[in-house]
Amino acid sequence: MNKFKGYNITIAILFLLLFSECSSKKAKANNKIAFADNCVVAHRGAWKKMGFPENSIASLKHAIELKCTGSEFDVRMTADDSLVINHDPHYNNLPIESTAYTDLLKFKLSNGEKLPTLREYVLAGIENNISTRLVCEIKPSEISKERGQIVAAKVVQLVKELKAQDIVVYISFDYDILKKIRTLNPTVSLQYLEGNKSPEQVKADGISGLDCHFSVFKEHPDWIESAKKNNITLNAWTVNDPNDMDWLIANGFDFITTNEPELLKERIKLSPVSNGMKLIWSDEFNTKGLPDSTKWNFEEGGHGWGNGESQYYTSRPENANIQNGILSIKIIKENYKGSSYTSARINTKNKFSFKYGKVEMRAKQPSGGGVWPALWMLGDNKAAVGWPACGEIDIMEYAGNRMNKVTAALHHPDHSGANPDGGYTMITNADTEFHIYTLEWTPSDIKISVDNQHFFVFANSSSIPFNHDFFLIFNCAIGGHYGGAIDPNFSSSNFDIDYVRVFQNK
Ligand code: MG
C-alpha cells in the first residue's frame, strides 16, 4: 500500500505540473498585447483632470483605465544609480543626479505616493494592462553624455528583466541614447523628440518614429507625408488645444501626446477620420505670404462681379497674406484702379475639385458695415453649361450689416440669384472668434453646419446639378446686393481663415 502511495503522489505531482504548464500558457495567451485603437498618449500619465501628481503611479493607472494607447513618463538616475520617475532634474529642490535615492525618498508626491522607481512604475504598468504602451522617456544626463548611455543600458536591462519589452516604447531628446537602445534591442519602438531630423534621416539610423513638438510639423508639413511613406510613426507633443488636436487627427497621426486625454478622446469621436473618411486635400495656411500658388488662383478685377460689389480684387500681399497659420483676406478702403476698396478672391479651379465629401473650414468674420465674406463652391463645368446650370454651393456667407447671422445657399436652375434654396443660423462672436463651417455632401443630402450644428439640410438628387466636381472659392466683397450699405467710416478689416480640409469616404 505504502509503495503505491508514493507512486500515486508522484503521478499527482506530474499532473499538477502538466496542469500548471497549461494554465500558464493560457494566461500568456490571454495577456497578448492588443494596444488600444486610438492615438491618445497621456503625457506624464493621466493626471490633470483627477488632480494626480504628474508621473505618479496613480496617473499611470488612470491612463490605463482610460484605455489610452500610451502613457508617457520620464526616467532619471540618482547619484547611487537608482532609476526613478520624475520630469524635472530636481525633486523637492534636490538635484536627482547628485542625490542618493534614500534622500529623495524623504519627500512624498502630493498624493502621498513615494517617488516611484522605474521597477515599481513598470510593474504597476504591466499589471492588468494589455492596451496601454509604457512610453518611457529617458532624460539625457546633465553630468555627461556617457552617463546617459549608462542610464539607457540600465533601463533596457530592467525592462527585459521585468519581461515588459513588448509594452515599452522609448523616446528621448538624446539621439545617441536612442541609437544605444537600438543596439541593445533591434526591434523596439524608438521615437526621437528634438524635431531637428527628417523622417528619412531617422529611418537611416534605425529610429522608428518622430515625436516632435506639434509646431515642428507646421514648419515641415512635408514630414507628415514622408513619414508615412517611410513607415516612420508620427507622434506630436504636448497637444492640449482642441484645434491642434483636430489638425493632427485629420492628418492621421499615430500618436498625440496630451495633458488632456479625455478631451482628445472626444475630438477623435468628432473627427471625420474616425467616421470612415480620409483627408484628401487641405490647406492649413502654415506657409508665409501669398497663398500657395500650387493650390490657389487669384481672381482679379473691379467690375462689380455681377452683384454691384464695390471692391477691386488684387493678387497683392496687402489683400491676401498668410501669417502665423492664418490666411487673412484684407478689405481695405483705398483708391485702386477706379475702385474705392481692395480685397482678394482665390479659387482652386483646375488645381483641386471634388465630388461629394466633407469640407471643414475654420474662419473668423471681418467686421464693418458692407463687408461680405464667403466660403463657397462652383461646378467645374461652368464654362460649358453656364451659371446656374453648373450649380453653386455657398457654405458660408456673412454680412457686417447682419452681425452673427450666417447663411448657406444652393443656386441651381429655377432657384438662383435672389431666390436660392438656403437657410441661416445665428451664432455668437462671429467676428471675434473662429468658428468651424462645414459642408457634408452626398448623393442623397447636402448638409451645412456651424460648429457641428446643422442649420440647412437639402435633399440632393440627380435632377439638380450637385453631382459633379466642384472647386472652392474664398473671397471677401464689400457692398453689393448682399453686403449692403458701406459704413462711411470703414477703413479695413480681415477675413481670417485658419484651414480648409476636404475629406472623402475611404
Ligand atoms: Mg516627457
Side-chain angles (χ1 to χ4, degrees), residues 342-417:
T342 57
S343 183
R345 168 165 158 151
I346 57 173
N347 71 50
T348 65
K349 193 175 176 185
N350 299 327
K351 291 180 175 167
F352 171 69
S353 60
F354 69 105
K355 179 172 82 168
Y356 309 137
K358 183 168 186 175
V359 187
E360 288 186 345
M361 295 167 288
R362 186 169 181 265
K364 188 170 78 178
Q365 308 294 356
S367 59
V371 298
W372 172 13
L375 306 169
W376 56 297
M377 309 203 302
L378 277 174
D380 261 359
N381 57 349
K382 183 173 175 246
V385 302
W387 184 93
C390 63
E392 173 180 325
I393 302 176
D394 299 332
I395 303 168
M396 186 290 298
E397 284 186 281
Y398 182 84
N401 282 319
R402 292 182 292 280
M403 275 179 73
N404 293 322
K405 182 177 179 179
V406 172
T407 61
L410 299 175
H411 297 263
H412 54 104
D414 304 327
H415 285 277
S416 67

Side-chain angles (χ1 to χ4, degrees), residues 298-315 319 332 334-345 476-480:
F298 277 100
E299 293 185 63
E300 296 180 58
H303 48 70
W305 296 86
N307 301 300
E309 299 163 28
S310 298
Q311 77 292 334
Y312 193 103
Y313 285 133
T314 82
S315 57
N319 296 111
I332 306 170
E334 60 175 333
N335 291 320
Y336 189 89
K337 296 190 177 176
S339 295
S340 304
Y341 303 88
T342 57
S343 183
R345 168 165 158 151
C476 188
I478 189 162

Side-chain angles (χ1 to χ4, degrees), residues 123-297:
L123 285 174
I126 57 178
E127 188 188 10
N128 299 323
N129 171 32
I130 52 160
S131 51
T132 303
R133 289 169 180 81
L134 307 183
V135 182
C136 176
E137 176 174 357
I138 302 182
K139 289 290 187 191
S141 169
E142 293 187 338
I143 293 171
S144 70
K145 198 81 181 155
E146 291 69 32
R147 199 167 193 268
Q149 298 274 300
I150 293 165
V151 174
K154 281 177 71 88
V155 171
V156 171
Q157 178 56 37
L158 180 60
V159 166
K160 194 177 167 195
E161 181 193 324
L162 300 176
K163 297 193 170 37
Q165 299 104 306
D166 293 343
I167 208 161
V168 173
V169 172
Y170 296 100
I171 62 176
S172 188
F173 281 98
D174 185 328
Y175 202 61
D176 294 324
I177 283 180
L178 296 178
K179 290 212 289 196
K180 171 78 178 175
I181 297 171
R182 175 55 74 233
T183 65
L184 299 168
N185 184 344
T187 55
V188 73
S189 293
L190 303 171
Q191 299 172 11
Y192 180 48
L193 293 166
E194 184 63 50
N196 58 358
K197 289 188 190 290
S198 70
E200 290 83 357
Q201 284 173 298
V202 297
K203 189 183 185 184
D205 289 318
I207 310 300
S208 49
L210 282 182
D211 181 1
C212 306
H213 188 262
F214 62 89
S215 65
V216 169
F217 296 109
K218 290 189 174 174
E219 277 163 47
H220 301 282
D222 52 307
W223 284 11
I224 299 173
E225 269 321 295
S226 69
K228 288 178 187 170
K229 247 182 252 156
N230 285 292
N231 228 1
I232 294 297
T233 58
L234 283 167
N235 192 345
W237 53 270
T238 302
V239 185
N240 301 323
D241 179 286
N243 190 42
D244 294 323
M245 290 175 178
D246 291 353
W247 163 61
L248 296 162
I249 299 164
N251 280 280
F253 269 59
D254 303 287
F255 307 106
I256 299 173
T257 303
T258 179
N259 293 337
E260 310 276 1
E262 299 88 351
L263 173 66
L264 178 54
K265 288 193 130 187
E266 287 307 306
R267 300 314 298 184
I268 291 168
K269 265 187 226 158
L270 289 173
S271 174
V273 300
S274 307
N275 296 297
M277 303 192 102
K278 186 181 188 308
L279 185 70
I280 58 153
W281 186 91
S282 66
D283 198 335
E284 300 292 332
F285 302 114
N286 285 335
T287 50
K288 283 192 177 69
L290 290 171
D292 180 350
S293 62
T294 67
K295 293 182 172 172
W296 301 98
N297 311 294

Side-chain angles (χ1 to χ4, degrees), residues 43-44 72-74 87 137 139:
H43 181 237
R44 304 178 198 167
E72 190 258 5
F73 57 95
D74 305 286
H87 174 264
E137 176 174 357
K139 289 290 187 191

